[in-house]
Amino acid sequence: MRKQIPEHIRTKLNKIKTVIEDVPNTVPHEMRTTFNFKGRKSPVIAEKVIEAVSNRDDVVYDPFMGSGSFVYAAMGKVKKIYATELDNYTFHAVRSLMNQADLIKLNELFDSVKEDVYEQIMSLYETSCCGCRNYISKVLFDPEDGKKGYLNPSGNREIIDGKNIKLIKKCPVCGEKSKKFDDKDYEKLIMLEKINVDRFPRNQYIVNSRINITSSTGADKYDKIFTQRNKIALLILQDAINKLEPSDEKDILEQVLVASISLARIAMYGSSTDILYHVVGHGAQDMNVWLLFEEKYKNFCKFKSVYSDKQIGKTDSTVIIANKDYATYLKENPDLKADIIYTDFPYTDQVPYLERNQLYRIWLEKFYDPKYALTEEMLEQEIVLTNAESRTEKRKIENYYKDIDNMFFRFYGILNENGLVFFTMKLGKAKYFKTYIEIVNLARKNGFEYACQIGIEKKDPTIRKQSAFTNTFINEMIVVFCKLSEKDRYWYIGNENYEFMLVKKVYSYLIDTKEYVTLSSAVTLICNDLKSKYLYLAGKQDILKIKTLLQQYFKVDAGCIQIDDNRLYLDIEDTTDLYTKLYDLMPIFVRKLLDSKGKFVLEDVYFELVNALCDGNPKTIAQILEDENHQRDIENLILNYCEKDGQYYAERKDIVKPNENAVDISTLSGTDFEVLVQRLLKKEGYENVVKMGGAGDLGVDIIASKRQKDKLTHYIFQCKRWASNVGSDPVQRLYAERMRRGLDHAVCVTTSGYTRDGKKVASDLEVEIVDGKQLMKRLNKYFPGEYYNGIRDI
């Protein structure tokens, strides 16, 4: 059972959906074009969220700062902001954006570099068109085909009439801004090959095929993906920057140069800067290094202009950022306390930052400052699951979970009472969804409770275009955890959540026993289990905790404990598998989501499913996620109530309701459905109508009697608020109980229908069956307009 989130926290969290509803999930152009950071998040959405949940005196901490989006979002909103970043390249690049700079001095330094090297670099890209001097901005070519690859490259949309050189300015004779690569252009390349570039880095990368660093293609060699011309240009530019006197502004120019490297390499035509290490054999582009550098410099200046009021020291927020592993930083600052942690989740192997940023870091270490070295300590501290062969320990999912476990442990220690953790997450394939469930368990182990998740829709037509059921979930979401008080924490013994074990033990006991079970006997059962399994002797506080948990997970009435019909337990009634019962509860989830959100996405249903489980076991959800038939059945069931609205599900407009206030019986809880049937039976003249349920009922939900020809006949009823058709097992159990009790009639009532086998067994055993259509006829007779059945094709 989920722990209760304090009402004032829930009130805050409920504001989030409203405040971000019309905010596009986009990264501002100035942030996207300044440096090449992977996985940027919208600072505007984060700002709205922080505004909704924080007070001016709050402290926000971002343990994995990355591109700094969340620091910018918190600036001016809270009293103090802390942020840490393990990656030395990312930290110093972001610091150059956040720190105030002397823009006049920066411009002077840029002009000095330009005066020093502009003509020299541009001479490397000199060409002619119609006999007039011009300069290359970009060449389209096939690297593996030598001269032919330049003179006759493979076609693409930029090459028109064979013109594969893009010029800086229009030719004054032909008026064109492109030309065909010719023999003189190739002669220039041959001449450039004579220039010594031995200083250019030849380091070997950490191999990771996920980001295209493969030894078989040569992508693990630093210089493999640069042309001779661009190697020369980059070295000239670096030498000019190195001549400058040390200053913050010089550091900025160095970061601008490093950011230019992303497209100064041989890049695949139309590729983004994300594909850094791809070795391109055909359809490649080679770009003018000076133009790249100048463009990045302009982007940086534009950023500084747009975010002039979001610099450290310019707002009333104290901002402290550190180039440290978060765990190390927290150890060194034991008094740090925060109200909110807001960060990007370090999940699985989607963004191995230390490996991805090798291109930049190696350059900086060689030419600028040894502090940019990638150390073994950094590789050990990174929280990641990678396929890099050399990172043996980081290839194991168990070690990744240990790191996440430790992360939540440290977060609990620095958060104030009722502190909140906000993670931005992106889900991919099913294995990542199961990882998410494991993350929830680790959060609970360390004193947190899952509070909510908010989907953030990107206005991107490519989203979910490969919309397999589990291969693409929502593009991005915010997941929130709330810190529990010490007394409210989940009860873990070692790595096991004993609350789940307790539920399993008591549930099995209630199923097996024929008698009612007292609360005290259930407590004794658990105390004995603790002693035998863990050699743990329960004290007074433990006994109080056991009683509290039993009251949370089960019904306790007059000192007796019973199964709660509205909860999913580890073991499943009627010998059905877990999936069948979950399937039957889907209409309840759908109704809840429609009532609370108005529209929802597929994974919202899965989250409801996960949170309804009492065992917290990722293998449980795997039974659904790994079976496409189950996924398809679930979506079909959702479509029974909903229609698609883009990537969302909204309530079907063609559902016929007697009136707006009518209740859909197919979405009632099990208990509410029993109450409805009880109400109907009383209207139909049944006497002594008593609702049973709970432990010891053996499948009997209601007992009643009815006078027939002056004789009182006795009935038992079983109520199945199911979406799936009822099979033979429940019918057989109902018949057996009728015989055991020596009663006259047995009736099974469902909102759905019956399988062929279920109908046959009912006929053979003389068990009356009532399906959803028949039930609606009877309800309409006594309660016209009050109810309808949302299940189609009963």
Side-chain angles (χ1 to χ4, degrees):
M1 178 178 173
R2 286 176 60 185
K3 303 296 185 181
Q4 285 295 317
I5 305 297
E7 182 63 32
H8 72 280
I9 297 294
R10 284 192 283 132
T11 301
K12 283 183 178 182
L13 296 177
N14 287 339
K15 295 179 187 175
I16 295 176
K17 183 175 181 294
T18 302
V19 299
I20 69 171
E21 193 165 22
D22 297 321
V23 179
N25 182 18
T26 55
V27 178
H29 178 76
E30 293 76 22
M31 283 192 171
R32 285 189 289 106
T33 56
T34 305
F35 293 132
N36 307 309
F37 297 125
K38 176 75 174 171
R40 288 185 187 87
K41 299 300 183 292
S42 168
V44 182
I45 286 180
E47 183 176 335
K48 295 289 185 184
V49 172
I50 290 170
E51 276 184 333
V53 302
S54 67
N55 300 314
R56 294 292 299 181
D57 290 334
D58 281 349
V59 175
V60 171
Y61 173 49
D62 182 352
F64 313 113
M65 180 177 72
S67 61
S69 296
F70 304 140
V71 176
Y72 284 113
M75 281 187 185
K77 306 297 177 188
V78 295
K79 178 181 179 180
K80 187 173 284 189
I81 304 160
Y82 293 93
T84 47
E85 173 53 48
L86 171 66
D87 180 17
N88 42 30
Y89 159 68
T90 300
F91 174 81
H92 289 286
V94 171
R95 189 175 69 168
S96 71
L97 295 175
M98 288 185 177
N99 281 348
Q100 298 180 58
D102 184 338
L103 297 184
I104 295 175
K105 180 179 180 180
L106 178 65
N107 196 52
E108 289 174 352
L109 293 184
F110 176 80
D111 289 342
S112 171
V113 170
K114 184 173 183 177
E115 183 179 354
D116 188 9
V117 302
Y118 178 76
E119 290 186 4
Q120 187 181 3
I121 292 178
M122 291 305 289
S123 69
L124 301 174
Y125 299 94
E126 185 177 330
T127 187
S128 63
C129 182
C130 300
C132 300
R133 179 188 296 177
N134 212 318
Y135 297 92
I136 296 169
S137 67
K138 179 163 61 174
V139 178
L140 304 172
F141 70 115
D142 296 327
E144 291 181 358
D145 292 345
K147 183 177 181 179
K148 179 185 175 184
Y150 281 96
L151 295 175
N152 296 290
S154 54
N156 63 53
R157 62 185 179 182
E158 280 201 277
I159 300 176
I160 301 173
D161 298 329
K163 297 176 180 180
N164 59 318
I165 287 182
K166 303 302 172 183
L167 301 170
I168 287 180
K169 56 186 178 180
K170 285 184 179 180
C171 173
V173 176
C174 67
E176 295 291 330
K177 208 173 178 180
S178 62
K179 60 160 277 187
K180 184 174 174 57
F181 194 97
D182 57 33
D183 288 336
K184 287 187 177 180
D185 293 312
Y186 192 72
E187 288 171 9
K188 187 174 189 72
L189 293 184
I190 297 300
M191 180 190 69
L192 293 176
E193 288 294 332
K194 298 176 183 178
I195 297 177
N196 189 311
V197 290
D198 287 347
R199 291 188 298 137
F200 200 86
R202 296 186 179 181
N203 300 57
Q204 191 163 351
Y205 296 126
I206 296 171
V207 172
N208 185 330
S209 60
R210 184 176 179 83
I211 52 176
N212 295 305
I213 307 180
T214 52
S215 56
S216 60
T217 62
D220 60 333
K221 303 295 194 301
Y222 192 98
D223 63 334
K224 174 74 174 181
I225 55 176
F226 293 88
T227 62
Q228 175 77 357
R229 173 159 42 198
N230 284 13
K231 289 177 183 178
I232 297 167
L234 288 167
L235 290 171
I236 291 171
L237 192 50
Q238 182 64 65
D239 289 342
I241 293 175
N242 284 345
K243 292 177 186 177
L244 303 174
E245 291 295 321
S247 67
D248 289 343
E249 289 71 28
K250 176 187 176 182
D251 293 344
I252 290 170
L253 286 185
E254 181 65 19
Q255 292 295 347
V256 170
L257 166 59
V258 172
S260 305
I261 293 176
S262 295
L263 286 176
R265 74 197 196 284
I266 301 170
M268 184 168 55
Y269 169 73
S271 69
S272 70
T273 53
D274 292 342
I275 311 172
L276 293 177
Y277 303 100
H278 188 72
V279 176
V280 186
H282 297 86
Q285 61 187 29
D286 187 19
M287 303 183 76
N288 184 309
V289 166
W290 176 262
L291 296 183
L292 292 171
F293 176 72
E294 188 172 46
E295 182 67 21
K296 283 293 179 186
Y297 175 73
K298 290 178 180 177
N299 290 341
F300 180 89
C301 293
K302 180 68 179 297
F303 179 95
K304 284 290 189 181
S305 173
V306 171
Y307 290 93
S308 60
D309 61 338
K310 289 271 190 174
Q311 304 285 290
I312 294 178
K314 279 289 190 77
T315 72
D316 56 2
S317 297
T318 301
V319 181
I320 301 169
I321 61 174
N323 182 199
K324 291 259 187 180
D325 164 53
Y326 87 98
T328 303
Y329 186 77
L330 295 180
K331 283 181 184 177
E332 294 172 353
N333 296 272
D335 295 331
L336 191 156
K337 289 293 180 183
D339 302 285
I340 295 170
I341 292 174
Y342 204 126
T343 194
D344 202 8
F345 195 84
Y347 57 97
T348 59
D349 58 349
Q350 296 213 353
V351 185
Y353 281 100
L354 295 182
E355 295 162 42
R356 181 186 182 275
N357 290 338
Q358 292 177 90
L359 179 72
Y360 313 120
R361 192 183 297 101
I362 286 172
W363 185 275
L364 285 162
E365 180 191 2
K366 181 177 178 66
F367 291 116
Y368 204 66
D369 196 323
K371 71 184 178 185
Y372 287 101
L374 178 57
T375 66
E376 287 298 323
E377 184 181 27
M378 290 169 62
L379 290 168
E380 172 61 29
Q381 290 169 338
E382 185 182 25
I383 302 177
V384 71
L385 180 67
T386 177
N387 70 350
E389 294 178 3
S390 60
R391 300 182 70 182
T392 309
E393 294 304 305
K394 295 297 181 179
R395 290 169 58 90
K396 300 175 183 176
I397 189 68
E398 297 81 8
N399 290 337
Y400 169 75
Y401 289 144
K402 285 180 184 177
D403 287 342
I404 298 300
D405 189 2
N406 185 54
M407 178 191 76
F408 278 115
F409 172 78
R410 295 189 182 281
F411 285 1
Y412 191 89
I414 69 162
L415 277 173
N416 290 320
E417 184 179 355
N418 294 327
L420 295 171
V421 182
F422 290 81
F423 290 120
T424 57
M425 286 188 182
K426 290 176 74 174
L427 293 180
K429 294 185 178 179
K431 68 173 182 177
Y432 299 126
F433 192 79
K434 287 179 282 186
T435 298
Y436 167 78
I437 299 168
E438 188 64 46
I439 289 165
V440 172
N441 287 336
L442 291 171
R444 286 170 168 167
K445 174 186 174 185
N446 287 284
F448 292 92
E449 181 55 287
Y450 161 82
C452 66
Q453 59 93 10
I454 305 108
I456 310 171
E457 181 183 8
K458 278 191 182 290
K459 305 297 183 183
D460 182 349
T462 63
I463 288 175
R464 301 173 74 93
K465 63 183 179 181
Q466 307 292 333
S467 56
F469 293 98
T470 58
N471 284 343
T472 49
F473 286 136
I474 200 164
N475 190 59
E476 195 171 322
M477 64 181 178
I478 300 170
V479 179
V480 188
F481 293 93
C482 180
K483 177 180 176 177
L484 300 170
S485 65
E486 283 290 344
K487 68 180 180 61
D488 291 328
R489 290 179 62 153
Y490 282 90
W491 187 5
Y492 271 78
I493 299 178
N495 289 321
E496 282 191 321
N497 187 338
Y498 190 70
E499 291 189 19
F500 296 147
M501 307 300 291
L502 176 151
V503 172
K504 180 179 180 180
K505 187 77 175 176
V506 174
Y507 181 88
S508 298
Y509 184 62
L510 290 172
I511 288 295
D512 292 340
T513 188
K514 302 294 183 183
E515 305 296 334
Y516 283 94
V517 177
T518 64
L519 179 61
S520 59
S521 63
V523 170
T524 301
L525 177 74
I526 296 305
C527 289
N528 290 338
D529 185 60
L530 286 168
K531 184 177 180 180
S532 63
K533 189 176 293 183
Y534 304 102
L535 301 178
Y536 186 102
L537 297 177
K540 289 183 178 179
Q541 291 300 317
D542 294 317
I543 290 172
L544 286 175
K545 183 186 292 186
I546 293 168
K547 287 182 178 179
T548 300
L549 290 173
L550 290 172
Q551 289 166 343
Q552 286 177 346
Y553 286 103
F554 299 93
K555 289 181 182 179
V556 178
D557 186 21
C560 290
I561 185 171
Q562 300 177 337
I563 291 170
D564 186 342
D565 296 329
N566 293 318
R567 188 177 305 284
L568 282 174
Y569 293 94
L570 200 70
D571 297 293
I572 306 303
E573 63 181 355
D574 296 329
T575 68
T576 57
D577 63 10
L578 175 65
Y579 166 73
T580 301
K581 186 157 187 192
L582 294 178
Y583 181 86
D584 288 325
L585 288 174
M586 283 295 160
I588 298 176
F589 299 155
V590 169
R591 175 48 53 195
K592 177 181 176 182
L593 290 168
L594 288 174
D595 290 344
S596 63
K597 295 190 172 188
K599 59 181 182 178
F600 60 89
V601 290
L602 182 61
E603 56 272 32
D604 286 328
V605 177
Y606 286 127
F607 282 122
E608 288 297 325
L609 181 156
V610 171
N611 289 322
L613 294 170
C614 283
D615 64 340
N617 186 350
K619 293 179 181 177
T620 303
I621 188 69
Q623 294 184 39
I624 292 176
L625 292 177
E626 293 175 355
D627 190 322
E628 290 187 3
N629 291 328
H630 288 173
Q631 298 160 23
R632 190 173 297 109
D633 286 346
I634 287 173
E635 186 170 50
N636 288 337
L637 184 60
I638 295 171
L639 291 173
N640 188 80
Y641 300 92
C642 303
E643 59 189 14
K644 279 287 190 75
D645 178 12
Q647 63 172 307
Y648 288 92
Y649 293 98
E651 188 164 19
R652 281 176 45 222
K653 296 182 177 65
D654 62 343
I655 292 178
V656 179
K657 300 180 183 179
N659 60 69
E660 278 302 311
N661 297 320
V663 175
D664 183 356
I665 63 171
S666 72
T667 61
L668 293 173
S669 69
T671 298
D672 288 342
F673 182 59
E674 292 169 12
V675 170
L676 175 60
V677 174
Q678 181 186 31
R679 185 181 175 207
L680 174 64
L681 294 176
K682 288 179 179 179
K683 286 287 186 180
E684 290 182 330
Y686 287 86
E687 302 175 18
N688 305 317
V689 183
V690 178
K691 193 173 83 67
M692 304 291 287
D697 70 5
L698 297 176
V700 176
D701 297 312
I702 297 172
I703 58 173
S705 56
K706 196 171 188 180
R707 293 193 178 277
Q708 295 176 339
K709 297 180 181 179
D710 298 325
K711 178 185 176 184
L712 195 63
T713 55
H714 300 280
Y715 290 76
I716 55 173
F717 294 84
Q718 189 175 55
C719 304
K720 295 292 183 188
R721 203 290 308 138
W722 280 12
S724 53
N725 288 332
V726 179
S728 59
D729 281 356
V731 176
Q732 288 172 335
R733 286 182 58 182
L734 188 59
Y735 167 77
E737 186 60 12
R738 187 194 84 187
M739 298 301 291
R740 187 180 78 85
R741 293 174 183 247
L743 301 178
D744 303 300
H745 301 282
V747 184
C748 186
V749 183
T750 182
T751 49
S752 59
Y754 294 86
T755 64
R756 179 181 299 178
D757 193 33
K759 291 176 182 178
K760 183 179 184 305
V761 170
S763 175
D764 292 344
L765 300 179
E766 296 182 342
V767 172
E768 182 183 348
I769 55 177
V770 179
D771 65 23
K773 287 183 179 178
Q774 295 166 334
L775 177 60
M776 277 309 307
K777 287 180 181 179
R778 293 165 66 170
L779 288 171
N780 285 333
K781 180 177 178 181
Y782 294 100
F783 314 110
E786 288 190 35
Y787 300 97
Y788 71 100
N789 193 342
I791 297 180
R792 295 179 292 181
D793 305 322
I794 298 172

